[in-house]
Amino acid sequence: MRLQVLKLFVLALFITTIGNAQSYIKYDISFDNAVQHEAEIKVSFTKVKKGKFSFRMSRSSPGRYAIHEFAKNVYNVKATDSKGKEIKLTRPNPYQWDVASHDGTVNVSYTLFANRGDGTYAQVDETHAHLNIPATFMFAPSMAETPIQVTFNPRKDWKIATQLKKMFDNTYYAPDLQYFMDSPTELSNHYVRSFDVESNGETYKINLALHDNGTAAEADQYFESVKKVVLQQKAVFGELPKFDYGEYTFLACYVPNASGDGMEHRNSTILTSTRSLASGGMTRNIGTVSHEFFHAWNVERIRPKSLEPFSFEKANMSGELWFAEGFTSYYTNLILTRAGLMTNERYINSLNGTFNYVWNSPGRSFFNPIEMSYQAPFVDAATSVDPVNRGNTFISYYSYGSALGLALDLALRNEKGNLTLDGYMQAVWKSYGKYEKPYTIDNLHQALNKYAGKLFGDYFFNHFIYKSAMPNYEPLFKRVGVVLKQDSQKVFFGVSTNNGVVRNNAQIGSPAYKAGLNSGDKIVAIDNHVVGSRNTVNTILSKYKIGDQITIQFSRYNQLRTTKATLIKDPRYTIMSFEKAELEVTPEILQNRKEWLGEK
């Protein structure tokens, strides 16, 4: 969410005059019935222009691209004027309320039910109030530029953690609607840890607000890992962003009643997990820290033009998510490795899943990375009840972009002049992110041309971004001592099964697809081998060779049917280090790998 530079310079003036010459919006939220997941919310719109006045709940949330109908959790809505007289409300659509006439003030009160603690929704219970702002507070589109005050009324022992600017007591400030909506808030009995980081002559405070049922010592240990991630990401770009008000806050909520998620914001991020630090979160939760903090540069400030301004009234579509989310995903584990939180061997092994998912998906025949990004409103925590064929038609832009980021990084390292993906990211940062100039795909293309040369940049974008070709990874991997190979003997069928029941749509072009198998079919026998809990489909198929024809008996709609299939070579790749493959590792390879994976 963008702030005009002028607004930051005149913050003090806004705060001191907010109750005087300017109109303003005041929110108040309390949690007396937290045990039933309810919050009571009041909002006062003052100095409202004459005529019809509309207020509403958001349908989308910063960092999410799908529709989320937050109005469904709002009830007991009432409105009064400045004298306390009730105002009649009408409902033109499911998410909006209208006032036909008023005296310049519209006071609204309502009850919010909130019971999902993640980066999109809100959760209120006796342990915390985990508030994503669009899921919590009504707003008036006509007053989007009006400054905001919000007063939180915490329960006993709760503290407040947020990127909002504190004014006094439990009252906080946002300069406009965009900043307010982008400012999640955690109220709980959480730990707070902070450290200072210097950048360009300024000191920024990095905070961890940790809601975890563990000990202070565990919080200290975890914060040491967070600090390492922060410093290694700063090294990628050469500097920190200019965090508004001089602070950045990790809002980490690792409790059993939360839902696993991560969501970036301008000066903070939401981190949620059911895993406490003591139950595996110490190592397994840190990946979300790495991913979301990288977004402080890439997507919050290196910002796609297609997401400006972010709309709270409709889905938000962007063709740049392969870069904004995908390249960020590439850096997620890379940063952990550079920070010493993941071994080189573990990192190299972790490439297998994403690599095979991307390059063996038939989805590449339907959409390139830009078009995959367009699918976000349908897949980004979106909900629907009808079956879809996304296993055949869609590749996550997180994974697709990550695989391309890996290829680009290794390819740049093969070029003359000590080029790296870090260097390209710095170039994009300096041209667009640092001064918050939204970019287009063509801007990214031209930036790569400028950084690595027109021949290199054109080739990368023309083959892998505008089209769906697969880079030649084998020589790129070889330079850093990594093997890429395929098993020449293993057979491939094309569906996954559980006790014989087909669990997914058959992969296009696979033997199962050509045999006409569908999700829900139950495979009874393969040739003369009866399928059972011990004699599984995979167990049976492991005894066959490439090119063998098999006869399959299966049940569909309670009718027994027969089909045939010819088994093919397994297309999946194996990625491993030279050491694991027992190949010679030269000093040059070790140096190349150190430059790639080593601490900066």
Side-chain angles (χ1 to χ4, degrees):
M1 305 301 97
R2 307 288 66 81
L3 277 177
Q4 296 177 1
V5 175
L6 178 61
K7 288 184 178 178
L8 294 177
F9 285 137
V10 300
L11 169 62
L13 180 61
F14 269 145
I15 293 178
T16 57
T17 63
I18 194 168
N20 299 322
Q22 291 182 298
S23 62
Y24 60 94
I25 301 169
K26 294 180 69 174
Y27 292 91
D28 183 279
I29 182 169
S30 57
F31 312 97
D32 294 338
N33 198 24
V35 69
Q36 297 297 340
H37 312 295
E38 287 186 343
E40 296 299 328
I41 301 170
K42 299 176 182 177
V43 53
S44 180
F45 301 102
T46 60
K47 299 184 181 179
V48 180
K49 293 181 180 179
K50 291 183 179 181
K52 185 179 76 172
F53 178 67
S54 300
F55 55 93
R56 62 185 291 139
M57 287 295 290
S58 178
R59 304 185 69 204
S60 55
S61 181
R64 284 279 181 244
Y65 310 104
I67 289 292
H68 299 279
E69 303 291 12
F70 299 122
K72 66 182 179 292
N73 286 323
V74 166
Y75 43 93
N76 197 27
V77 180
K78 299 177 182 177
T80 61
D81 63 16
S82 63
K83 299 178 180 63
K85 182 180 177 181
E86 187 171 350
I87 302 174
K88 182 180 178 181
L89 297 174
T90 57
R91 198 83 177 264
N93 56 57
Y95 15 85
Q96 182 172 311
W97 292 260
D98 287 348
V99 171
S101 61
H102 52 81
D103 64 359
T105 294
V106 178
N107 298 311
V108 180
S109 64
Y110 59 97
T111 302
L112 174 77
F113 181 84
N115 194 24
R116 184 175 174 88
D118 63 5
T120 305
Y121 297 96
Q123 184 172 60
V124 174
D125 57 37
E126 64 271 33
T127 71
H128 68 168
H130 179 90
L131 306 177
N132 183 41
I133 301 301
T136 306
F137 294 104
M138 291 182 171
F139 70 98
S142 63
M143 302 181 75
E145 299 300 317
T146 305
I148 290 168
Q149 292 184 64
V150 54
T151 299
F152 302 99
N153 297 288
R155 290 162 64 92
K156 184 180 178 181
D157 297 330
W158 283 5
K159 299 184 286 288
I160 302 170
T162 181
Q163 71 176 28
L164 293 166
K165 178 68 175 176
K166 186 170 184 176
M167 295 178 68
F168 53 86
D169 297 330
N170 296 325
T171 298
Y172 291 75
Y173 165 84
D176 57 22
L177 178 68
Q178 287 281 336
Y179 194 89
F180 182 54
M181 290 294 212
D182 195 45
S183 302
T185 301
E186 170 75 16
L187 292 84
S188 59
N189 186 17
H190 53 258
Y191 296 106
V192 177
R193 299 290 184 268
S194 303
F195 82 117
D196 292 338
V197 181
E198 300 289 330
S199 180
N200 292 331
E202 297 186 46
T203 300
Y204 296 96
K205 180 180 285 188
I206 309 298
N207 307 304
L208 171 66
L210 174 64
H211 184 200
D212 182 272
N213 296 328
T215 66
E218 288 167 347
D220 291 340
Q221 181 183 349
Y222 189 65
F223 190 49
E224 291 304 309
S225 296
V226 173
K227 288 157 68 170
K228 292 176 181 179
V229 168
V230 168
L231 295 177
Q232 284 302 306
Q233 294 199 359
K234 177 192 173 189
V236 172
F237 293 95
E239 60 185 344
L240 290 177
K242 286 191 174 183
F243 295 124
D244 305 329
Y245 320 134
E247 296 189 30
Y248 183 95
T249 302
F250 293 98
L251 302 168
C253 194
Y254 302 148
V255 292
N257 40 313
S259 300
D261 199 7
M263 184 55 63
E264 74 279 359
H265 297 276
R266 183 172 171 83
N267 304 298
S268 65
T269 189
I270 283 288
L271 309 165
T272 56
S273 175
T274 57
R275 294 185 297 267
S276 67
L277 295 182
S279 62
M282 193 71 72
T283 55
R284 295 177 66 187
N285 292 346
I286 196 67
T288 314
V289 171
S290 179
H291 183 94
E292 302 306 331
F293 189 61
F294 200 85
H295 277 315
W297 292 269
N298 192 26
V299 89
E300 286 298 327
R301 291 165 177 84
I302 303 175
R303 186 78 173 167
K305 191 174 182 180
S306 54
L307 295 179
E308 284 298 306
F310 189 87
S311 172
F312 301 108
E313 301 181 26
K314 63 180 182 180
N316 291 264
M317 188 180 79
S318 171
E320 292 83 9
L321 298 184
W322 58 270
F323 180 82
E325 293 288 0
F327 276 35
T328 297
S329 294
Y330 168 64
Y331 272 101
T332 298
N333 283 347
L334 181 62
I335 290 296
L336 296 183
T337 307
R338 291 177 178 179
L341 302 173
M342 179 179 284
T343 64
N344 288 358
E345 191 66 44
R346 184 182 164 203
Y347 172 75
I348 292 169
N349 184 63
S350 75
L351 299 175
N352 278 281
T354 296
F355 193 92
N356 280 296
Y357 164 57
V358 172
W359 302 118
N360 285 319
S361 172
R364 288 194 296 126
S365 64
F366 297 102
F367 302 116
N368 64 28
I370 298 169
E371 294 162 332
M372 291 298 180
S373 299
Y374 289 154
Q375 307 301 307
F378 304 129
V379 299
D380 184 49
T383 57
S384 60
V385 296
D386 59 321
V388 295
N389 197 25
R390 296 206 173 277
N392 277 315
T393 62
F394 177 70
I395 304 171
S396 168
Y397 39 85
Y398 288 85
S399 302
Y400 207 157
S402 179
L404 291 174
L406 169 66
L408 180 56
D409 195 7
L410 297 180
L412 284 168
R413 292 172 187 276
N414 271 351
E415 295 295 299
K416 295 180 180 178
N418 298 316
L419 303 181
T420 64
L421 187 60
D422 289 5
Y424 174 58
M425 296 302 293
Q426 284 188 28
V428 175
W429 166 251
K430 291 175 182 177
S431 295
Y432 299 97
K434 188 169 184 176
Y435 303 104
E436 301 195 36
K437 177 183 176 182
Y439 70 85
T440 64
I441 293 174
D442 185 63
N443 292 147
L444 295 178
H445 184 168
Q446 298 310 317
L448 186 59
N449 285 2
K450 184 176 180 180
Y451 178 70
K454 189 175 187 303
L455 185 64
F456 183 98
D458 284 351
Y459 186 86
F460 182 81
F461 272 82
N462 289 338
H463 286 78
F464 311 127
I465 304 303
Y466 306 134
K467 294 182 180 179
S468 305
M470 178 182 176
N472 184 7
Y473 284 90
E474 190 170 353
L476 303 178
F477 276 138
K478 186 176 180 180
R479 185 176 179 274
V480 291
V482 175
V483 175
L484 177 70
K485 66 177 184 178
Q486 290 176 297
D487 191 325
S488 60
Q489 302 300 320
K490 195 172 182 180
V491 300
F492 181 68
F493 188 44
V495 292
S496 61
T497 60
N498 181 16
N499 200 26
V501 178
V502 178
R503 298 189 300 175
N504 59 295
N505 293 343
Q507 182 171 314
I508 292 175
S510 69
Y513 184 88
K514 292 179 179 179
L517 291 175
N518 289 329
S519 176
D521 292 343
K522 181 176 176 59
I523 299 175
V524 178
I526 298 175
D527 290 336
N528 61 341
H529 306 288
V530 177
V531 175
S533 58
R534 294 186 178 181
N535 200 32
T536 66
V537 170
N538 286 341
T539 300
I540 295 170
L541 292 178
S542 67
K543 302 171 184 177
Y544 286 83
K545 297 179 180 179
I546 298 166
D548 285 349
Q549 187 180 76
I550 59 176
T551 299
I552 304 164
Q553 285 187 312
F554 67 100
S555 174
R556 178 185 296 169
Y557 311 140
N558 296 320
Q559 292 183 348
L560 193 62
R561 306 187 183 194
T562 301
T563 186
K564 293 183 181 294
T566 301
L567 299 176
I568 63 174
K569 176 182 175 182
D570 192 333
R572 285 171 290 194
Y573 297 86
T574 298
I575 299 172
M576 67 178 71
S577 66
F578 271 26
E579 292 90 333
K580 193 172 182 179
E582 299 182 346
L583 298 175
E584 181 185 3
V585 182
T586 66
E588 181 183 4
I589 285 175
L590 289 176
Q591 182 60 32
N592 292 339
R593 190 186 292 171
K594 181 180 179 181
E595 291 173 358
W596 176 36
L597 301 179
E599 180 182 0
K600 305 304 176 193

